[in-house]
Amino acid sequence: MRQTTIIALLFMLLAATASAADYKDVASGVRYTHIGDYSVERLNKILTSEVAAFSNFKMQYPEAANGVSLYKVLYTTMIPEQGNRPTLASGLVAVPQTTQKKLPVVSYQHGTVFTRTAVPSRPEESDETRIVTARLAGNGYVVIGADYIGKGDSTEPDSYMVRESTVQACMDMLFAARAVLADLGIEENGLYLSGWSQGSWSTQQFRHRLESLNMPVKAAATAATPADLYLLLTRWINNPSSLDATWLAGSVILFTYSYAYYYDMPGLPQTIIRPEYQAVCRDFYENKIGWEELQPQIPAKVADLVQEEVMAQSSAGMDSFFRRLRDNQAFMWRSATPCRYYYGKVDEVMPPYVSTLAVGYTITAGGARAEAVYAGDTADHRGAFLYGVGDQKEFFDSKR
């Protein structure tokens, strides 16, 4: 434990002290810096003791085959919702330490986090990033990941579940990563997509854009996929379950304030959040307070956080907020990419119906093979993620 803490502190110190001189420019608006390495020993520790600390869900992974070099990337992207305004974004490129120079690339989209820093470019603060890196980059796949606009080095407000900004950040991260890999002398050997929770939604949206541009994706795999945002929030508000996570209210707050900012609906929070909670909720969205400080100040149930009229509005689904949620669905197209959707029986965030919604739609539309993969009776939100991380390596291998 003490050794892991020291390593984490060293990584954060290195990232914090990186100056402009430490970054190498490789393309217009793209620069990167080496932030550290994971040895095979460290990767195996991530896959065992750190996975056990992350979740009680039991998973055993094969050992890592190679070490990994970690690179932080800064790149220019745009905010389409604001007239393609340029802005700075950050992300991670994790490169296997191998003699092979032609490697498959996995773009991993991260899940919901309540801080700016628990993101791919700061892997020591992101459990999911370390686990994906250990499982995939530790076995021959380059792993890349965008922090998203509003996270990492971005100074923008959080673009939580905002479709075009999310897609743009992922697309420009892919282009930036390709420039970094070319500078490192590595050739891409097929693109794969992966994501969890919010990141599953991001992956679906990103995949849709790539397919629309005829940019091939070998395969995709998502865990706990919120394919229908309107359905998900309506379920949280109107049909709560004893399984529901205590932090669902935090997600609703992020939805409300990010949509107010990026979709130019400045009065939205005042129509969604009850007046007595609006000030602390805004502080939370603006990262002035964290979840631990916010949680005791707001109701445990989403229905008690939102105004009474919201329940009726969500049922009709006709007001601007709920129409936008419906517009931001992430499954209604004829997919051209084989995909697996992982789900768990006791997921406290994503109901199995929502997680697997894309499967029946894709099959009915005659799209590429879509599979619902059951993570087990004891698989909760993190369990679905861990099971998916274990399975998708072989799934991706089968498409190479």
Side-chain angles (χ1 to χ4, degrees):
M1 178 65 73
R2 184 172 180 272
Q3 184 182 15
T4 301
T5 302
I6 292 172
I7 292 172
L9 289 173
L10 287 173
F11 264 94
M12 286 186 280
L13 180 63
L14 180 60
T17 56
S19 66
D22 297 317
Y23 284 86
K24 182 177 182 181
D25 293 306
V26 290
S28 178
V30 178
R31 51 200 177 107
Y32 75 104
T33 187
H34 178 239
I35 59 171
D37 301 280
Y38 285 151
S39 66
V40 170
E41 180 183 16
R42 177 65 204 285
L43 293 172
N44 288 333
K45 186 173 184 179
I46 293 169
L47 293 171
T48 52
S49 60
E50 293 186 26
V51 164
F54 176 74
S55 171
N56 292 326
F57 185 78
K58 302 301 181 184
M59 275 297 299
Q60 288 188 329
Y61 299 108
E63 292 188 345
N66 54 260
V68 176
S69 297
L70 303 167
Y71 301 92
K72 178 179 177 179
V73 182
L74 299 178
Y75 63 99
T76 300
T77 188
M78 297 182 297
I79 302 176
E81 291 81 6
Q82 297 180 354
N84 291 329
R85 178 169 64 84
T87 189
L88 176 74
S90 52
L92 175 75
V93 175
V95 180
Q97 295 174 347
T98 173
T99 58
Q100 297 293 321
K101 294 301 180 183
K102 190 172 183 179
L103 298 172
V105 174
V106 176
S107 177
Y108 177 76
Q109 284 62 242
H110 72 80
T112 298
V113 293
F114 288 159
T115 73
R116 279 189 179 273
T117 58
V119 292
S121 70
R122 293 164 172 81
E124 286 304 309
E125 297 184 58
S126 173
D127 294 331
E128 60 174 305
T129 298
R130 292 198 307 279
I131 293 168
V132 170
T133 297
R135 176 70 177 122
L136 296 177
N139 286 282
Y141 284 77
V142 173
V143 173
I144 68 174
D147 294 340
Y148 305 147
I149 295 169
K151 298 292 186 183
D153 283 38
S154 172
T155 59
E156 305 289 347
D158 190 356
S159 61
Y160 189 72
M161 300 286 205
V162 174
R163 183 178 60 197
E164 296 303 323
S165 284
T166 298
V167 170
Q168 196 67 50
C170 294
M171 183 71 76
D172 289 331
M173 178 63 204
L174 174 60
F175 294 148
R178 285 173 170 171
V180 171
L181 292 174
D183 190 66
L184 294 171
I186 295 169
E187 182 181 352
E188 179 184 321
N189 185 22
L191 175 64
Y192 303 78
L193 303 182
S194 176
W196 173 41
S197 196
Q198 175 193 358
S200 293
W201 177 86
S202 303
T203 298
Q204 289 286 98
Q205 301 289 9
F206 185 28
R207 176 158 65 97
H208 189 195
R209 181 61 52 80
L210 290 168
E211 290 181 7
S212 71
L213 296 172
N214 293 317
M215 296 176 66
V217 178
K218 291 276 191 177
T222 61
T225 308
D228 188 329
L229 299 184
Y230 165 75
L231 176 60
L232 183 63
L233 264 71
T234 302
R235 180 356 218 113
W236 289 351
I237 294 169
N238 297 292
N239 189 24
S241 163
S242 59
L243 289 175
D244 285 353
T246 57
W247 55 264
L248 294 186
S251 183
V252 172
I253 294 166
L254 296 186
F255 267 113
T256 302
Y257 284 91
S258 70
Y259 277 39
Y261 178 76
Y262 283 94
Y263 292 123
D264 194 24
M265 295 187 282
L268 181 64
Q270 288 72 41
T271 66
I272 299 291
I273 308 296
R274 297 193 184 208
E276 60 267 36
Y277 306 122
Q278 289 172 14
V280 291
C281 288
R282 183 165 193 85
D283 285 347
F284 174 66
Y285 175 69
E286 294 177 350
N287 293 292
K288 294 177 180 177
I289 63 174
W291 172 247
E292 293 74 15
E293 186 176 348
L294 173 69
Q295 188 176 15
Q297 302 184 62
I298 61 172
K301 294 182 178 180
V302 172
D304 295 331
L305 176 71
V306 301
Q307 300 190 34
E308 290 184 10
E309 296 83 0
V310 173
M311 298 183 73
Q313 292 167 355
S314 67
S315 298
M318 296 303 293
D319 78 315
S320 58
F321 177 60
F322 287 99
R323 283 202 309 270
R324 181 63 68 176
L325 290 174
R326 289 196 314 198
D327 289 344
N328 284 347
Q329 54 75 26
F331 70 100
M332 298 179 73
W333 84 96
R334 186 171 177 270
S335 174
T337 302
C339 187
R340 287 185 176 176
Y341 299 88
Y342 304 98
Y343 69 102
K345 183 177 182 179
V346 291
D347 193 320
E348 69 278 23
V349 179
M350 211 64 56
Y353 176 81
V354 178
S355 293
T356 59
L357 192 57
V359 176
Y361 188 95
T362 303
I363 292 172
T364 303
R369 183 175 175 82
E371 302 173 80
V373 180
Y374 187 50
D377 290 351
T378 62
D380 58 7
H381 200 55
R382 292 189 172 195
F385 162 73
L386 291 176
Y387 187 93
V389 170
D391 178 79
Q392 62 193 245
K393 164 65 167 57
E394 284 71 28
F395 175 51
F396 291 165
D397 285 349
S398 72
K399 303 300 179 182
R400 294 179 62 178

